[in-house]
Amino acid sequence: MGIFDKVQSTAKNLGRSAATTAGKVGSNATVATQEQAELISLKSQINVIDQELNAAYVQIGRKYLDYVIETNEMPGVDISDILKMIDPKLTKKQELEKQIIELEKQIKQKDIVREKALAEQDYLKEKGKLDKALGMDLLTQEEYDEKLKKAYKKVENFEAIRKVQQQAELGLITNEEKAEKLKALTE
């Protein structure tokens, strides 16, 4: 009965873990969607400001051209009224661009946290399988410890693995180098 109890206990723990994970994934998806909506809103506001600025630039060009045609001279034209209108828009645009950068940083950090949580979840799933196999005497304690250690390396070296993947995405290392480095980090 001892082995059956261990298996049943492990199965219950895995079931609870899966339910908790599903709830977290749903809430994480909602937060990510809200962040993306906020990012789109900020970019849309910048787009509107850009259109208004372009209209002001056209007005400046027209005033200058009208003046040149009337006077046959190329001196300065008074555009202070347009500049007064442009200044707050440029300031607002700079503020929005700073907000976008900050929001993108936050989103990236949250993505990293989510990815790390997924790596830890994968480890826990693997541990559950190994616990079950050990409980059923399908693995020796040595095999169990070895496989568990290997599974934990993915969590332990999460940052380094992520860095290697980014290096490959940027073309800083070849796919062979990437595979070699990942193998060293996970085995």
Side-chain angles (χ1 to χ4, degrees):
M1 267 316 244
I3 292 175
F4 180 72
D5 290 338
K6 282 183 182 179
V7 171
Q8 187 177 13
S9 172
T10 302
K12 285 181 184 178
N13 288 340
L14 287 174
R16 278 190 224 115
S17 176
T20 303
T21 300
K24 288 179 183 176
V25 168
S27 66
N28 285 343
T30 302
V31 170
T33 303
Q34 290 170 346
E35 290 168 342
Q36 290 298 328
E38 185 178 347
L39 188 61
I40 290 169
S41 172
L42 291 172
K43 287 183 178 182
S44 152
Q45 289 177 38
I46 286 179
N47 190 27
V48 168
I49 290 172
D50 281 341
Q51 290 174 358
E52 291 172 352
L53 288 172
N54 286 335
Y57 297 150
V58 168
Q59 289 177 358
I60 291 170
R62 283 189 186 137
K63 273 190 170 187
Y64 186 76
L65 186 61
D66 289 344
Y67 182 81
V68 169
I69 290 173
E70 285 180 28
T71 63
N72 264 347
E73 294 179 14
M74 298 281 259
V77 177
D78 183 26
I79 56 169
S80 59
D81 58 329
I82 297 173
L83 292 177
K84 285 179 186 174
M85 181 185 74
I86 289 176
D87 187 46
K89 293 181 188 305
L90 288 173
T91 304
K92 178 69 174 175
K93 181 179 176 183
Q94 289 172 342
E95 290 171 9
L96 290 172
E97 287 172 342
K98 286 178 185 176
Q99 286 179 0
I100 286 174
I101 290 170
E102 195 58 39
L103 184 59
E104 286 175 340
K105 282 181 188 177
Q106 290 174 3
I107 290 171
K108 188 172 185 165
Q109 286 291 9
K110 288 179 182 178
D111 285 345
I112 291 170
V113 169
R114 282 186 209 112
E115 287 177 25
K116 188 166 187 171
L118 287 174
E120 289 172 353
Q121 253 178 351
D122 289 343
Y123 166 74
L124 291 175
K125 284 180 187 176
E126 187 66 22
K127 184 179 183 317
K129 289 179 192 177
L130 293 172
D131 287 345
K132 182 178 178 181
L134 183 64
M136 295 173 65
D137 290 328
L138 297 175
L139 291 176
T140 66
Q141 186 65 43
E142 249 180 48
E143 292 171 324
Y144 171 85
D145 292 339
E146 183 182 320
K147 291 183 181 287
L148 190 62
K149 183 179 177 184
K150 184 177 177 182
Y152 187 70
K153 278 193 166 192
K154 291 178 184 176
V155 174
E156 185 177 46
N157 295 325
F158 175 78
E159 293 294 327
I161 291 170
R162 185 171 167 75
K163 185 177 177 183
V164 168
Q165 290 170 338
Q166 289 175 336
Q167 288 173 344
E169 287 173 7
L170 294 174
L172 300 174
I173 59 173
T174 65
N175 284 335
E176 292 81 24
E177 290 173 312
K178 174 186 170 186
E180 201 175 288
K181 288 183 177 188
L182 289 177
K183 184 177 180 181
L185 290 169
T186 58
E187 292 182 6

PDB file of all heavy atoms in Angstrom, residues 123 147-158 161 183-187:
ATOM      1  N   TYR A 123      10.559  22.254 -14.207  1.00  0.00           N
ATOM      2  CA  TYR A 123      11.361  21.507 -13.232  1.00  0.00           C
ATOM      3  C   TYR A 123      10.455  20.741 -12.270  1.00  0.00           C
ATOM      4  O   TYR A 123      10.685  19.565 -11.993  1.00  0.00           O
ATOM      5  CB  TYR A 123      12.285  22.453 -12.463  1.00  0.00           C
ATOM      6  CG  TYR A 123      12.883  21.829 -11.224  1.00  0.00           C
ATOM      7  CD1 TYR A 123      13.886  20.881 -11.322  1.00  0.00           C
ATOM      8  CD2 TYR A 123      12.407  22.163  -9.957  1.00  0.00           C
ATOM      9  CE1 TYR A 123      14.422  20.281 -10.190  1.00  0.00           C
ATOM     10  CE2 TYR A 123      12.936  21.571  -8.824  1.00  0.00           C
ATOM     11  CZ  TYR A 123      13.943  20.630  -8.942  1.00  0.00           C
ATOM     12  OH  TYR A 123      14.463  20.040  -7.823  1.00  0.00           O
ATOM     13  N   LYS A 147      19.124  12.656 -12.517  1.00  0.00           N
ATOM     14  CA  LYS A 147      18.114  13.257 -13.401  1.00  0.00           C
ATOM     15  C   LYS A 147      17.535  14.537 -12.791  1.00  0.00           C
ATOM     16  O   LYS A 147      17.282  15.508 -13.498  1.00  0.00           O
ATOM     17  CB  LYS A 147      17.000  12.257 -13.712  1.00  0.00           C
ATOM     18  CG  LYS A 147      17.459  11.118 -14.600  1.00  0.00           C
ATOM     19  CD  LYS A 147      16.325  10.186 -14.940  1.00  0.00           C
ATOM     20  CE  LYS A 147      16.757   9.033 -15.788  1.00  0.00           C
ATOM     21  NZ  LYS A 147      17.035   9.395 -17.165  1.00  0.00           N
ATOM     22  N   LEU A 148      17.358  14.542 -11.497  1.00  0.00           N
ATOM     23  CA  LEU A 148      16.837  15.729 -10.816  1.00  0.00           C
ATOM     24  C   LEU A 148      17.836  16.881 -10.911  1.00  0.00           C
ATOM     25  O   LEU A 148      17.457  18.029 -11.153  1.00  0.00           O
ATOM     26  CB  LEU A 148      16.521  15.403  -9.353  1.00  0.00           C
ATOM     27  CG  LEU A 148      15.757  16.470  -8.581  1.00  0.00           C
ATOM     28  CD1 LEU A 148      14.388  16.698  -9.224  1.00  0.00           C
ATOM     29  CD2 LEU A 148      15.595  16.051  -7.131  1.00  0.00           C
ATOM     30  N   LYS A 149      19.103  16.569 -10.732  1.00  0.00           N
ATOM     31  CA  LYS A 149      20.159  17.584 -10.824  1.00  0.00           C
ATOM     32  C   LYS A 149      20.191  18.186 -12.231  1.00  0.00           C
ATOM     33  O   LYS A 149      20.301  19.402 -12.395  1.00  0.00           O
ATOM     34  CB  LYS A 149      21.508  16.964 -10.479  1.00  0.00           C
ATOM     35  CG  LYS A 149      22.660  17.944 -10.467  1.00  0.00           C
ATOM     36  CD  LYS A 149      23.962  17.262 -10.080  1.00  0.00           C
ATOM     37  CE  LYS A 149      25.117  18.244 -10.152  1.00  0.00           C
ATOM     38  NZ  LYS A 149      26.405  17.589  -9.867  1.00  0.00           N
ATOM     39  N   LYS A 150      20.078  17.327 -13.230  1.00  0.00           N
ATOM     40  CA  LYS A 150      20.077  17.789 -14.629  1.00  0.00           C
ATOM     41  C   LYS A 150      18.868  18.698 -14.892  1.00  0.00           C
ATOM     42  O   LYS A 150      18.990  19.738 -15.531  1.00  0.00           O
ATOM     43  CB  LYS A 150      20.065  16.596 -15.575  1.00  0.00           C
ATOM     44  CG  LYS A 150      20.167  16.970 -17.021  1.00  0.00           C
ATOM     45  CD  LYS A 150      20.224  15.745 -17.910  1.00  0.00           C
ATOM     46  CE  LYS A 150      20.264  16.137 -19.373  1.00  0.00           C
ATOM     47  NZ  LYS A 150      20.281  14.987 -20.258  1.00  0.00           N
ATOM     48  N   ALA A 151      17.715  18.302 -14.385  1.00  0.00           N
ATOM     49  CA  ALA A 151      16.495  19.106 -14.575  1.00  0.00           C
ATOM     50  C   ALA A 151      16.629  20.458 -13.877  1.00  0.00           C
ATOM     51  O   ALA A 151      16.176  21.478 -14.398  1.00  0.00           O
ATOM     52  CB  ALA A 151      15.279  18.356 -14.056  1.00  0.00           C
ATOM     53  N   TYR A 152      17.255  20.482 -12.716  1.00  0.00           N
ATOM     54  CA  TYR A 152      17.387  21.728 -11.956  1.00  0.00           C
ATOM     55  C   TYR A 152      18.372  22.694 -12.613  1.00  0.00           C
ATOM     56  O   TYR A 152      18.262  23.913 -12.436  1.00  0.00           O
ATOM     57  CB  TYR A 152      17.816  21.450 -10.514  1.00  0.00           C
ATOM     58  CG  TYR A 152      17.792  22.694  -9.671  1.00  0.00           C
ATOM     59  CD1 TYR A 152      16.587  23.289  -9.326  1.00  0.00           C
ATOM     60  CD2 TYR A 152      18.963  23.297  -9.247  1.00  0.00           C
ATOM     61  CE1 TYR A 152      16.540  24.452  -8.580  1.00  0.00           C
ATOM     62  CE2 TYR A 152      18.939  24.459  -8.497  1.00  0.00           C
ATOM     63  CZ  TYR A 152      17.732  25.028  -8.157  1.00  0.00           C
ATOM     64  OH  TYR A 152      17.697  26.182  -7.427  1.00  0.00           O
ATOM     65  N   LYS A 153      19.299  22.183 -13.403  1.00  0.00           N
ATOM     66  CA  LYS A 153      20.282  23.053 -14.052  1.00  0.00           C
ATOM     67  C   LYS A 153      19.610  24.080 -14.968  1.00  0.00           C
ATOM     68  O   LYS A 153      20.107  25.180 -15.125  1.00  0.00           O
ATOM     69  CB  LYS A 153      21.302  22.230 -14.835  1.00  0.00           C
ATOM     70  CG  LYS A 153      22.396  21.675 -13.974  1.00  0.00           C
ATOM     71  CD  LYS A 153      23.516  21.168 -14.839  1.00  0.00           C
ATOM     72  CE  LYS A 153      24.734  20.945 -13.969  1.00  0.00           C
ATOM     73  NZ  LYS A 153      25.922  20.735 -14.761  1.00  0.00           N
ATOM     74  N   LYS A 154      18.490  23.732 -15.554  1.00  0.00           N
ATOM     75  CA  LYS A 154      17.775  24.666 -16.428  1.00  0.00           C
ATOM     76  C   LYS A 154      17.250  25.857 -15.632  1.00  0.00           C
ATOM     77  O   LYS A 154      17.224  26.978 -16.127  1.00  0.00           O
ATOM     78  CB  LYS A 154      16.634  23.962 -17.160  1.00  0.00           C
ATOM     79  CG  LYS A 154      17.115  22.967 -18.186  1.00  0.00           C
ATOM     80  CD  LYS A 154      15.966  22.253 -18.856  1.00  0.00           C
ATOM     81  CE  LYS A 154      16.471  21.184 -19.802  1.00  0.00           C
ATOM     82  NZ  LYS A 154      15.395  20.417 -20.396  1.00  0.00           N
ATOM     83  N   VAL A 155      16.829  25.613 -14.395  1.00  0.00           N
ATOM     84  CA  VAL A 155      16.363  26.698 -13.531  1.00  0.00           C
ATOM     85  C   VAL A 155      17.557  27.468 -12.986  1.00  0.00           C
ATOM     86  O   VAL A 155      17.578  28.696 -12.997  1.00  0.00           O
ATOM     87  CB  VAL A 155      15.501  26.143 -12.367  1.00  0.00           C
ATOM     88  CG1 VAL A 155      15.140  27.247 -11.392  1.00  0.00           C
ATOM     89  CG2 VAL A 155      14.261  25.464 -12.900  1.00  0.00           C
ATOM     90  N   GLU A 156      18.546  26.726 -12.540  1.00  0.00           N
ATOM     91  CA  GLU A 156      19.730  27.317 -11.931  1.00  0.00           C
ATOM     92  C   GLU A 156      20.478  28.233 -12.904  1.00  0.00           C
ATOM     93  O   GLU A 156      20.960  29.304 -12.528  1.00  0.00           O
ATOM     94  CB  GLU A 156      20.647  26.181 -11.457  1.00  0.00           C
ATOM     95  CG  GLU A 156      21.864  26.613 -10.692  1.00  0.00           C
ATOM     96  CD  GLU A 156      22.656  25.410 -10.225  1.00  0.00           C
ATOM     97  OE1 GLU A 156      22.895  24.475 -11.029  1.00  0.00           O
ATOM     98  OE2 GLU A 156      23.030  25.407  -9.053  1.00  0.00           O
ATOM     99  N   ASN A 157      20.561  27.832 -14.158  1.00  0.00           N
ATOM    100  CA  ASN A 157      21.297  28.592 -15.178  1.00  0.00           C
ATOM    101  C   ASN A 157      20.369  29.379 -16.100  1.00  0.00           C
ATOM    102  O   ASN A 157      20.725  29.678 -17.235  1.00  0.00           O
ATOM    103  CB  ASN A 157      22.169  27.638 -16.001  1.00  0.00           C
ATOM    104  CG  ASN A 157      23.238  26.999 -15.171  1.00  0.00           C
ATOM    105  OD1 ASN A 157      23.787  27.606 -14.265  1.00  0.00           O
ATOM    106  ND2 ASN A 157      23.537  25.734 -15.455  1.00  0.00           N
ATOM    107  N   PHE A 158      19.191  29.711 -15.616  1.00  0.00           N
ATOM    108  CA  PHE A 158      18.186  30.388 -16.439  1.00  0.00           C
ATOM    109  C   PHE A 158      18.747  31.642 -17.113  1.00  0.00           C
ATOM    110  O   PHE A 158      18.596  31.830 -18.314  1.00  0.00           O
ATOM    111  CB  PHE A 158      16.956  30.740 -15.601  1.00  0.00           C
ATOM    112  CG  PHE A 158      15.936  31.541 -16.350  1.00  0.00           C
ATOM    113  CD1 PHE A 158      15.080  30.921 -17.242  1.00  0.00           C
ATOM    114  CD2 PHE A 158      15.861  32.919 -16.195  1.00  0.00           C
ATOM    115  CE1 PHE A 158      14.141  31.651 -17.943  1.00  0.00           C
ATOM    116  CE2 PHE A 158      14.934  33.653 -16.902  1.00  0.00           C
ATOM    117  CZ  PHE A 158      14.074  33.021 -17.783  1.00  0.00           C
ATOM    118  N   ILE A 161      21.353  30.825 -19.777  1.00  0.00           N
ATOM    119  CA  ILE A 161      20.699  30.220 -20.951  1.00  0.00           C
ATOM    120  C   ILE A 161      20.025  31.313 -21.778  1.00  0.00           C
ATOM    121  O   ILE A 161      20.144  31.353 -23.002  1.00  0.00           O
ATOM    122  CB  ILE A 161      19.686  29.139 -20.512  1.00  0.00           C
ATOM    123  CG1 ILE A 161      20.429  27.936 -19.930  1.00  0.00           C
ATOM    124  CG2 ILE A 161      18.784  28.723 -21.671  1.00  0.00           C
ATOM    125  CD1 ILE A 161      19.522  26.922 -19.242  1.00  0.00           C
ATOM    126  N   LYS A 183      24.280  23.113 -24.105  1.00  0.00           N
ATOM    127  CA  LYS A 183      24.558  21.759 -23.612  1.00  0.00           C
ATOM    128  C   LYS A 183      25.396  21.834 -22.338  1.00  0.00           C
ATOM    129  O   LYS A 183      25.115  21.137 -21.355  1.00  0.00           O
ATOM    130  CB  LYS A 183      25.281  20.949 -24.676  1.00  0.00           C
ATOM    131  CG  LYS A 183      25.516  19.513 -24.285  1.00  0.00           C
ATOM    132  CD  LYS A 183      26.180  18.726 -25.412  1.00  0.00           C
ATOM    133  CE  LYS A 183      26.402  17.288 -24.975  1.00  0.00           C
ATOM    134  NZ  LYS A 183      27.061  16.521 -26.020  1.00  0.00           N
ATOM    135  N   ALA A 184      26.383  22.711 -22.336  1.00  0.00           N
ATOM    136  CA  ALA A 184      27.246  22.866 -21.147  1.00  0.00           C
ATOM    137  C   ALA A 184      26.441  23.387 -19.950  1.00  0.00           C
ATOM    138  O   ALA A 184      26.715  23.012 -18.811  1.00  0.00           O
ATOM    139  CB  ALA A 184      28.406  23.802 -21.457  1.00  0.00           C
ATOM    140  N   LEU A 185      25.455  24.230 -20.205  1.00  0.00           N
ATOM    141  CA  LEU A 185      24.671  24.815 -19.121  1.00  0.00           C
ATOM    142  C   LEU A 185      23.581  23.882 -18.590  1.00  0.00           C
ATOM    143  O   LEU A 185      23.135  24.040 -17.450  1.00  0.00           O
ATOM    144  CB  LEU A 185      24.019  26.123 -19.589  1.00  0.00           C
ATOM    145  CG  LEU A 185      24.971  27.297 -19.816  1.00  0.00           C
ATOM    146  CD1 LEU A 185      24.249  28.444 -20.519  1.00  0.00           C
ATOM    147  CD2 LEU A 185      25.560  27.776 -18.496  1.00  0.00           C
ATOM    148  N   THR A 186      23.142  22.949 -19.422  1.00  0.00           N
ATOM    149  CA  THR A 186      22.013  22.110 -19.008  1.00  0.00           C
ATOM    150  C   THR A 186      22.388  20.674 -18.667  1.00  0.00           C
ATOM    151  O   THR A 186      21.540  19.921 -18.214  1.00  0.00           O
ATOM    152  CB  THR A 186      20.924  22.081 -20.101  1.00  0.00           C
ATOM    153  OG1 THR A 186      21.499  21.594 -21.320  1.00  0.00           O
ATOM    154  CG2 THR A 186      20.329  23.457 -20.315  1.00  0.00           C
ATOM    155  N   GLU A 187      23.603  20.310 -18.909  1.00  0.00           N
ATOM    156  CA  GLU A 187      23.985  18.915 -18.607  1.00  0.00           C
ATOM    157  C   GLU A 187      25.050  18.838 -17.555  1.00  0.00           C
ATOM    158  O   GLU A 187      25.691  19.723 -17.153  1.00  0.00           O
ATOM    159  CB  GLU A 187      24.464  18.208 -19.877  1.00  0.00           C
ATOM    160  CG  GLU A 187      23.306  18.000 -20.850  1.00  0.00           C
ATOM    161  CD  GLU A 187      23.721  17.258 -22.097  1.00  0.00           C
ATOM    162  OE1 GLU A 187      24.868  16.791 -22.199  1.00  0.00           O
ATOM    163  OE2 GLU A 187      22.887  17.142 -22.978  1.00  0.00           O
TER     164      GLU A 187
END
